[in-house]
Amino acid sequence: MLNTKEEIVVALGTGSKCIGKTSLSSNGDTINDSHAEVIARRCFLKFLYSEMRKSVYEESICLNYKKDMAKFILKDDITFHMFTTCLPCGDATIFQVSPKYESNKFKKEIKVTPPLEKRLKTETDTYSVDVNDDNNEERETLVNFTDLNRTGAKCLPLGFQDPKLLGTQYHVTGVLRTKPGRGDPTLSMSCSDKIAKWNLLGVQGSLLSWFLEKPIYFSSIIFGKCRFNLDSVERAIYGRFKNDLLDFVFPIGYRHNCPVIDIVDINRKELMKDDSIKPCSGSILWYYGCKNQEVAVEGKKQGVTKKLRNIGKANLSVCKRELYHDYVNLKTAVSTEKFETVKLTYSEAKNLSVEYCKLWKDVRDRVFKIWSQKPKHFEGFSICEQ
């Protein structure tokens, strides 16, 4: 978060895992997608709930409360910025990699026989190829070609598919993808697609939209030093939909957000030298104002046994059920409506944000036609069930 006086870190998340569709919970008590960008965004939602509660009774660092409307609005000098150490999975990671021409002494040699039918899994190597000349004498020829930086995210079944041909013909760009799963496919959209959605509807989601006078967008997305391509990032998070949205009329306050994109030089050479360092299977969750950070493993608090997985104490503070608790508590504090919010299902509560839900339907029909939809019963829980 940035204002005219200072910069404040308000949410932090790490992670690179995602659970498969057979492990999904219909109680909203398990985090399906634990990629760092998604975890950080969930922590950001928790931060917003915390600041909204503050602004009702005292001073918030970023929000003003309009009591007559029961709505919250960002203070004039506040902007939010996202920092990530690597590219979001999916479309943003697909870009052309220039060939490297190395001396014979250091080149990597791989024996293959034309045609190159099997896709080679290196990025930009120099290859030795056995070919037969007209005299049936074997000779060695050097072949250099340009490749793509690749993603593990999978094209949705109803959309265009990756050709998986040699070089730059391996991937198709600009399409929706789901995160890969090891043996158990996931239903979670790629981080590139989720960020693209945030740039159209705001990062706050449907529940928080009920409280906000205007949606919240990231003003910039900053990358740590990583394999980076500006064109691919711009394409993935907002550019691929520009033509489809030329005549689209957004509701007041909403827009097609195009955040500033930049990369900063963070020296991670010493860390990268240690080959023993591997991605952690867990995630770290923290937000401004929380008492303690949490560690998540497979969508639950670290250390929870199988026997205790289904009780409330096993829930992470940023899972759907706990965020719905925050929604109900805040709505009870600010709303004059007489019906009992606690009896609503999670899905019914989301639908109360009529403008947001209509925009999401319109946007989905226009640019996210095959967006992965989880079965409805996964959002049919209410907080009085547990």
Side-chain angles (χ1 to χ4, degrees), residues 206-237:
S206 56
L207 291 182
L208 276 170
S209 293
W210 192 91
F211 301 103
L212 287 165
E213 188 173 88
K214 295 180 180 178
I216 296 174
Y217 296 96
F218 289 132
S219 296
S220 70
I221 300 178
I222 310 299
F223 295 89
K225 191 172 184 181
C226 59
R227 180 167 289 177
F228 177 84
N229 182 277
L230 179 60
D231 291 339
S232 71
V233 174
E234 290 179 337
R235 177 192 70 230
I237 68 173

mmCIF file of all heavy atoms in Angstrom, residues 206-237:
data_model
loop_
_atom_site.group_PDB
_atom_site.id
_atom_site.type_symbol
_atom_site.label_atom_id
_atom_site.label_comp_id
_atom_site.label_asym_id
_atom_site.label_seq_id
_atom_site.Cartn_x
_atom_site.Cartn_y
_atom_site.Cartn_z
ATOM 1 N N SER A 206 -16.612 -10.580 -4.888
ATOM 2 C CA SER A 206 -18.045 -10.262 -4.810
ATOM 3 C C SER A 206 -18.506 -9.874 -3.406
ATOM 4 O O SER A 206 -19.277 -8.926 -3.234
ATOM 5 C CB SER A 206 -18.876 -11.445 -5.326
ATOM 6 O OG SER A 206 -18.563 -12.616 -4.602
ATOM 7 N N LEU A 207 -18.063 -10.600 -2.368
ATOM 8 C CA LEU A 207 -18.539 -10.307 -1.015
ATOM 9 C C LEU A 207 -18.175 -8.896 -0.578
ATOM 10 O O LEU A 207 -19.026 -8.141 -0.097
ATOM 11 C CB LEU A 207 -17.982 -11.322 -0.020
ATOM 12 C CG LEU A 207 -18.493 -12.764 -0.127
ATOM 13 C CD1 LEU A 207 -17.868 -13.622 0.960
ATOM 14 C CD2 LEU A 207 -20.013 -12.824 -0.030
ATOM 15 N N LEU A 208 -16.915 -8.517 -0.743
ATOM 16 C CA LEU A 208 -16.484 -7.187 -0.324
ATOM 17 C C LEU A 208 -17.080 -6.086 -1.189
ATOM 18 O O LEU A 208 -17.174 -4.930 -0.756
ATOM 19 C CB LEU A 208 -14.962 -7.096 -0.333
ATOM 20 C CG LEU A 208 -14.253 -7.612 0.928
ATOM 21 C CD1 LEU A 208 -12.753 -7.689 0.714
ATOM 22 C CD2 LEU A 208 -14.568 -6.711 2.119
ATOM 23 N N SER A 209 -17.496 -6.420 -2.402
ATOM 24 C CA SER A 209 -18.113 -5.407 -3.270
ATOM 25 C C SER A 209 -19.381 -4.830 -2.656
ATOM 26 O O SER A 209 -19.748 -3.689 -2.931
ATOM 27 C CB SER A 209 -18.438 -6.017 -4.643
ATOM 28 O OG SER A 209 -17.262 -6.351 -5.338
ATOM 29 N N TRP A 210 -20.054 -5.616 -1.824
ATOM 30 C CA TRP A 210 -21.278 -5.137 -1.179
ATOM 31 C C TRP A 210 -20.994 -3.943 -0.273
ATOM 32 O O TRP A 210 -21.835 -3.064 -0.108
ATOM 33 C CB TRP A 210 -21.916 -6.272 -0.367
ATOM 34 C CG TRP A 210 -23.312 -5.961 0.087
ATOM 35 C CD1 TRP A 210 -24.466 -6.242 -0.583
ATOM 36 C CD2 TRP A 210 -23.697 -5.301 1.297
ATOM 37 N NE1 TRP A 210 -25.553 -5.788 0.139
ATOM 38 C CE2 TRP A 210 -25.114 -5.206 1.309
ATOM 39 C CE3 TRP A 210 -22.992 -4.774 2.382
ATOM 40 C CZ2 TRP A 210 -25.831 -4.620 2.339
ATOM 41 C CZ3 TRP A 210 -23.706 -4.183 3.416
ATOM 42 C CH2 TRP A 210 -25.105 -4.113 3.395
ATOM 43 N N PHE A 211 -19.778 -3.890 0.298
ATOM 44 C CA PHE A 211 -19.430 -2.830 1.249
ATOM 45 C C PHE A 211 -18.745 -1.637 0.593
ATOM 46 O O PHE A 211 -18.719 -0.558 1.169
ATOM 47 C CB PHE A 211 -18.488 -3.372 2.330
ATOM 48 C CG PHE A 211 -19.054 -4.511 3.134
ATOM 49 C CD1 PHE A 211 -18.655 -5.809 2.893
ATOM 50 C CD2 PHE A 211 -19.993 -4.278 4.131
ATOM 51 C CE1 PHE A 211 -19.172 -6.862 3.632
ATOM 52 C CE2 PHE A 211 -20.514 -5.327 4.885
ATOM 53 C CZ PHE A 211 -20.104 -6.626 4.622
ATOM 54 N N LEU A 212 -18.157 -1.819 -0.571
ATOM 55 C CA LEU A 212 -17.318 -0.786 -1.174
ATOM 56 C C LEU A 212 -18.105 0.099 -2.131
ATOM 57 O O LEU A 212 -18.903 -0.390 -2.933
ATOM 58 C CB LEU A 212 -16.145 -1.429 -1.922
ATOM 59 C CG LEU A 212 -15.044 -2.032 -1.043
ATOM 60 C CD1 LEU A 212 -14.137 -2.945 -1.877
ATOM 61 C CD2 LEU A 212 -14.218 -0.931 -0.382
ATOM 62 N N GLU A 213 -17.844 1.386 -2.059
ATOM 63 C CA GLU A 213 -18.475 2.306 -2.999
ATOM 64 C C GLU A 213 -17.897 2.125 -4.404
ATOM 65 O O GLU A 213 -18.613 2.256 -5.396
ATOM 66 C CB GLU A 213 -18.258 3.753 -2.536
ATOM 67 C CG GLU A 213 -19.030 4.771 -3.338
ATOM 68 C CD GLU A 213 -18.925 6.159 -2.739
ATOM 69 O OE1 GLU A 213 -17.973 6.878 -3.081
ATOM 70 O OE2 GLU A 213 -19.800 6.511 -1.925
ATOM 71 N N LYS A 214 -16.607 1.806 -4.471
ATOM 72 C CA LYS A 214 -15.940 1.559 -5.752
ATOM 73 C C LYS A 214 -15.043 0.333 -5.621
ATOM 74 O O LYS A 214 -14.540 0.040 -4.543
ATOM 75 C CB LYS A 214 -15.086 2.766 -6.163
ATOM 76 C CG LYS A 214 -15.870 4.035 -6.448
ATOM 77 C CD LYS A 214 -14.923 5.164 -6.840
ATOM 78 C CE LYS A 214 -15.681 6.450 -7.121
ATOM 79 N NZ LYS A 214 -14.744 7.566 -7.462
ATOM 80 N N PRO A 215 -14.823 -0.377 -6.722
ATOM 81 C CA PRO A 215 -13.915 -1.522 -6.670
ATOM 82 C C PRO A 215 -12.468 -1.074 -6.451
ATOM 83 O O PRO A 215 -12.133 0.106 -6.626
ATOM 84 C CB PRO A 215 -14.087 -2.177 -8.049
ATOM 85 C CG PRO A 215 -14.543 -1.065 -8.939
ATOM 86 C CD PRO A 215 -15.383 -0.173 -8.068
ATOM 87 N N ILE A 216 -11.610 -2.011 -6.090
ATOM 88 C CA ILE A 216 -10.205 -1.720 -5.829
ATOM 89 C C ILE A 216 -9.346 -2.421 -6.876
ATOM 90 O O ILE A 216 -9.496 -3.631 -7.108
ATOM 91 C CB ILE A 216 -9.798 -2.184 -4.414
ATOM 92 C CG1 ILE A 216 -10.561 -1.395 -3.354
ATOM 93 C CG2 ILE A 216 -8.294 -2.045 -4.209
ATOM 94 C CD1 ILE A 216 -10.334 -1.886 -1.936
ATOM 95 N N TYR A 217 -8.476 -1.663 -7.509
ATOM 96 C CA TYR A 217 -7.561 -2.209 -8.511
ATOM 97 C C TYR A 217 -6.113 -1.995 -8.074
ATOM 98 O O TYR A 217 -5.812 -1.025 -7.364
ATOM 99 C CB TYR A 217 -7.771 -1.531 -9.869
ATOM 100 C CG TYR A 217 -9.126 -1.762 -10.495
ATOM 101 C CD1 TYR A 217 -10.158 -0.832 -10.340
ATOM 102 C CD2 TYR A 217 -9.378 -2.899 -11.244
ATOM 103 C CE1 TYR A 217 -11.407 -1.030 -10.916
ATOM 104 C CE2 TYR A 217 -10.629 -3.111 -11.834
ATOM 105 C CZ TYR A 217 -11.628 -2.181 -11.658
ATOM 106 O OH TYR A 217 -12.863 -2.387 -12.229
ATOM 107 N N PHE A 218 -5.233 -2.867 -8.523
ATOM 108 C CA PHE A 218 -3.809 -2.653 -8.304
ATOM 109 C C PHE A 218 -3.311 -1.581 -9.269
ATOM 110 O O PHE A 218 -3.569 -1.651 -10.478
ATOM 111 C CB PHE A 218 -3.008 -3.934 -8.521
ATOM 112 C CG PHE A 218 -3.210 -4.975 -7.452
ATOM 113 C CD1 PHE A 218 -3.467 -6.297 -7.776
ATOM 114 C CD2 PHE A 218 -3.127 -4.634 -6.109
ATOM 115 C CE1 PHE A 218 -3.651 -7.257 -6.796
ATOM 116 C CE2 PHE A 218 -3.314 -5.585 -5.111
ATOM 117 C CZ PHE A 218 -3.572 -6.898 -5.458
ATOM 118 N N SER A 219 -2.574 -0.608 -8.740
ATOM 119 C CA SER A 219 -2.025 0.456 -9.589
ATOM 120 C C SER A 219 -0.791 -0.010 -10.352
ATOM 121 O O SER A 219 -0.481 0.511 -11.421
ATOM 122 C CB SER A 219 -1.679 1.680 -8.739
ATOM 123 O OG SER A 219 -2.839 2.223 -8.155
ATOM 124 N N SER A 220 -0.077 -0.962 -9.776
ATOM 125 C CA SER A 220 1.099 -1.499 -10.460
ATOM 126 C C SER A 220 1.328 -2.940 -10.030
ATOM 127 O O SER A 220 0.877 -3.368 -8.964
ATOM 128 C CB SER A 220 2.357 -0.662 -10.160
ATOM 129 O OG SER A 220 2.768 -0.840 -8.816
ATOM 130 N N ILE A 221 2.014 -3.687 -10.886
ATOM 131 C CA ILE A 221 2.465 -5.040 -10.563
ATOM 132 C C ILE A 221 3.958 -5.073 -10.832
ATOM 133 O O ILE A 221 4.405 -4.843 -11.970
ATOM 134 C CB ILE A 221 1.736 -6.104 -11.390
ATOM 135 C CG1 ILE A 221 0.227 -6.031 -11.111
ATOM 136 C CG2 ILE A 221 2.266 -7.497 -11.066
ATOM 137 C CD1 ILE A 221 -0.599 -7.024 -11.915
ATOM 138 N N ILE A 222 4.720 -5.318 -9.791
ATOM 139 C CA ILE A 222 6.181 -5.247 -9.860
ATOM 140 C C ILE A 222 6.757 -6.652 -9.703
ATOM 141 O O ILE A 222 6.333 -7.420 -8.829
ATOM 142 C CB ILE A 222 6.743 -4.322 -8.752
ATOM 143 C CG1 ILE A 222 5.997 -2.978 -8.745
ATOM 144 C CG2 ILE A 222 8.238 -4.129 -8.939
ATOM 145 C CD1 ILE A 222 6.118 -2.185 -10.021
ATOM 146 N N PHE A 223 7.733 -6.969 -10.523
ATOM 147 C CA PHE A 223 8.357 -8.284 -10.492
ATOM 148 C C PHE A 223 9.785 -8.184 -9.975
ATOM 149 O O PHE A 223 10.516 -7.246 -10.312
ATOM 150 C CB PHE A 223 8.366 -8.908 -11.890
ATOM 151 C CG PHE A 223 6.989 -9.196 -12.423
ATOM 152 C CD1 PHE A 223 6.300 -8.233 -13.142
ATOM 153 C CD2 PHE A 223 6.384 -10.419 -12.187
ATOM 154 C CE1 PHE A 223 5.021 -8.489 -13.621
ATOM 155 C CE2 PHE A 223 5.115 -10.681 -12.665
ATOM 156 C CZ PHE A 223 4.435 -9.710 -13.381
ATOM 157 N N GLY A 224 10.165 -9.155 -9.146
ATOM 158 C CA GLY A 224 11.563 -9.278 -8.772
ATOM 159 C C GLY A 224 12.342 -9.809 -9.960
ATOM 160 O O GLY A 224 11.758 -10.272 -10.953
ATOM 161 N N LYS A 225 13.656 -9.739 -9.880
ATOM 162 C CA LYS A 225 14.476 -10.172 -11.008
ATOM 163 C C LYS A 225 14.210 -11.640 -11.309
ATOM 164 O O LYS A 225 14.471 -12.526 -10.502
ATOM 165 C CB LYS A 225 15.956 -9.959 -10.705
ATOM 166 C CG LYS A 225 16.849 -10.143 -11.933
ATOM 167 C CD LYS A 225 18.278 -9.738 -11.649
ATOM 168 C CE LYS A 225 19.112 -9.847 -12.922
ATOM 169 N NZ LYS A 225 20.512 -9.468 -12.667
ATOM 170 N N CYS A 226 13.642 -11.900 -12.484
ATOM 171 C CA CYS A 226 13.278 -13.255 -12.880
ATOM 172 C C CYS A 226 13.269 -13.309 -14.402
ATOM 173 O O CYS A 226 13.479 -12.290 -15.067
ATOM 174 C CB CYS A 226 11.890 -13.626 -12.329
ATOM 175 S SG CYS A 226 10.560 -12.529 -12.896
ATOM 176 N N ARG A 227 13.055 -14.478 -14.943
ATOM 177 C CA ARG A 227 12.916 -14.574 -16.396
ATOM 178 C C ARG A 227 11.644 -13.829 -16.765
ATOM 179 O O ARG A 227 10.543 -14.225 -16.393
ATOM 180 C CB ARG A 227 12.833 -16.041 -16.802
ATOM 181 C CG ARG A 227 12.691 -16.249 -18.288
ATOM 182 C CD ARG A 227 12.938 -17.686 -18.645
ATOM 183 N NE ARG A 227 14.344 -18.041 -18.493
ATOM 184 C CZ ARG A 227 14.816 -19.259 -18.697
ATOM 185 N NH1 ARG A 227 14.007 -20.229 -19.038
ATOM 186 N NH2 ARG A 227 16.108 -19.502 -18.546
ATOM 187 N N PHE A 228 11.770 -12.748 -17.521
ATOM 188 C CA PHE A 228 10.693 -11.776 -17.652
ATOM 189 C C PHE A 228 10.570 -11.300 -19.085
ATOM 190 O O PHE A 228 11.562 -11.114 -19.789
ATOM 191 C CB PHE A 228 10.992 -10.589 -16.727
ATOM 192 C CG PHE A 228 10.002 -9.456 -16.814
ATOM 193 C CD1 PHE A 228 8.826 -9.485 -16.080
ATOM 194 C CD2 PHE A 228 10.249 -8.352 -17.618
ATOM 195 C CE1 PHE A 228 7.912 -8.443 -16.143
ATOM 196 C CE2 PHE A 228 9.345 -7.303 -17.691
ATOM 197 C CZ PHE A 228 8.175 -7.348 -16.952
ATOM 198 N N ASN A 229 9.334 -11.124 -19.522
ATOM 199 C CA ASN A 229 9.072 -10.553 -20.837
ATOM 200 C C ASN A 229 7.862 -9.628 -20.724
ATOM 201 O O ASN A 229 6.759 -10.084 -20.404
ATOM 202 C CB ASN A 229 8.803 -11.665 -21.861
ATOM 203 C CG ASN A 229 8.571 -11.117 -23.256
ATOM 204 O OD1 ASN A 229 7.475 -10.697 -23.595
ATOM 205 N ND2 ASN A 229 9.612 -11.124 -24.068
ATOM 206 N N LEU A 230 8.076 -8.344 -20.945
ATOM 207 C CA LEU A 230 7.029 -7.345 -20.743
ATOM 208 C C LEU A 230 5.830 -7.597 -21.657
ATOM 209 O O LEU A 230 4.678 -7.501 -21.222
ATOM 210 C CB LEU A 230 7.590 -5.942 -20.994
ATOM 211 C CG LEU A 230 6.595 -4.786 -20.831
ATOM 212 C CD1 LEU A 230 6.033 -4.735 -19.419
ATOM 213 C CD2 LEU A 230 7.259 -3.452 -21.198
ATOM 214 N N ASP A 231 6.083 -7.937 -22.918
ATOM 215 C CA ASP A 231 4.976 -8.148 -23.852
ATOM 216 C C ASP A 231 4.070 -9.289 -23.405
ATOM 217 O O ASP A 231 2.842 -9.203 -23.515
ATOM 218 C CB ASP A 231 5.520 -8.445 -25.259
ATOM 219 C CG ASP A 231 6.178 -7.234 -25.894
ATOM 220 O OD1 ASP A 231 5.873 -6.109 -25.463
ATOM 221 O OD2 ASP A 231 7.004 -7.407 -26.811
ATOM 222 N N SER A 232 4.666 -10.374 -22.912
ATOM 223 C CA SER A 232 3.857 -11.523 -22.499
ATOM 224 C C SER A 232 3.033 -11.199 -21.254
ATOM 225 O O SER A 232 1.885 -11.638 -21.124
ATOM 226 C CB SER A 232 4.742 -12.748 -22.239
ATOM 227 O OG SER A 232 5.517 -12.593 -21.065
ATOM 228 N N VAL A 233 3.600 -10.424 -20.335
ATOM 229 C CA VAL A 233 2.860 -10.053 -19.126
ATOM 230 C C VAL A 233 1.692 -9.135 -19.486
ATOM 231 O O VAL A 233 0.557 -9.331 -19.019
ATOM 232 C CB VAL A 233 3.788 -9.377 -18.099
ATOM 233 C CG1 VAL A 233 2.986 -8.870 -16.907
ATOM 234 C CG2 VAL A 233 4.860 -10.350 -17.626
ATOM 235 N N GLU A 234 1.956 -8.121 -20.313
ATOM 236 C CA GLU A 234 0.890 -7.209 -20.728
ATOM 237 C C GLU A 234 -0.220 -7.962 -21.459
ATOM 238 O O GLU A 234 -1.400 -7.717 -21.235
ATOM 239 C CB GLU A 234 1.460 -6.099 -21.613
ATOM 240 C CG GLU A 234 2.334 -5.103 -20.852
ATOM 241 C CD GLU A 234 2.897 -4.030 -21.763
ATOM 242 O OE1 GLU A 234 2.986 -4.281 -22.989
ATOM 243 O OE2 GLU A 234 3.255 -2.950 -21.254
ATOM 244 N N ARG A 235 0.176 -8.869 -22.338
ATOM 245 C CA ARG A 235 -0.823 -9.664 -23.067
ATOM 246 C C ARG A 235 -1.692 -10.464 -22.094
ATOM 247 O O ARG A 235 -2.923 -10.492 -22.196
ATOM 248 C CB ARG A 235 -0.111 -10.628 -24.022
ATOM 249 C CG ARG A 235 -1.059 -11.573 -24.787
ATOM 250 C CD ARG A 235 -0.293 -12.690 -25.475
ATOM 251 N NE ARG A 235 0.267 -13.640 -24.528
ATOM 252 C CZ ARG A 235 1.548 -14.036 -24.533
ATOM 253 N NH1 ARG A 235 2.397 -13.554 -25.413
ATOM 254 N NH2 ARG A 235 1.978 -14.915 -23.630
ATOM 255 N N ALA A 236 -1.046 -11.113 -21.138
ATOM 256 C CA ALA A 236 -1.748 -12.049 -20.264
ATOM 257 C C ALA A 236 -2.707 -11.381 -19.302
ATOM 258 O O ALA A 236 -3.826 -11.869 -19.092
ATOM 259 C CB ALA A 236 -0.726 -12.882 -19.487
ATOM 260 N N ILE A 237 -2.309 -10.254 -18.710
ATOM 261 C CA ILE A 237 -3.112 -9.710 -17.613
ATOM 262 C C ILE A 237 -4.081 -8.608 -18.034
ATOM 263 O O ILE A 237 -4.958 -8.248 -17.251
ATOM 264 C CB ILE A 237 -2.225 -9.231 -16.451
ATOM 265 C CG1 ILE A 237 -1.398 -8.007 -16.839
ATOM 266 C CG2 ILE A 237 -1.327 -10.349 -15.945
ATOM 267 C CD1 ILE A 237 -0.639 -7.396 -15.664
#
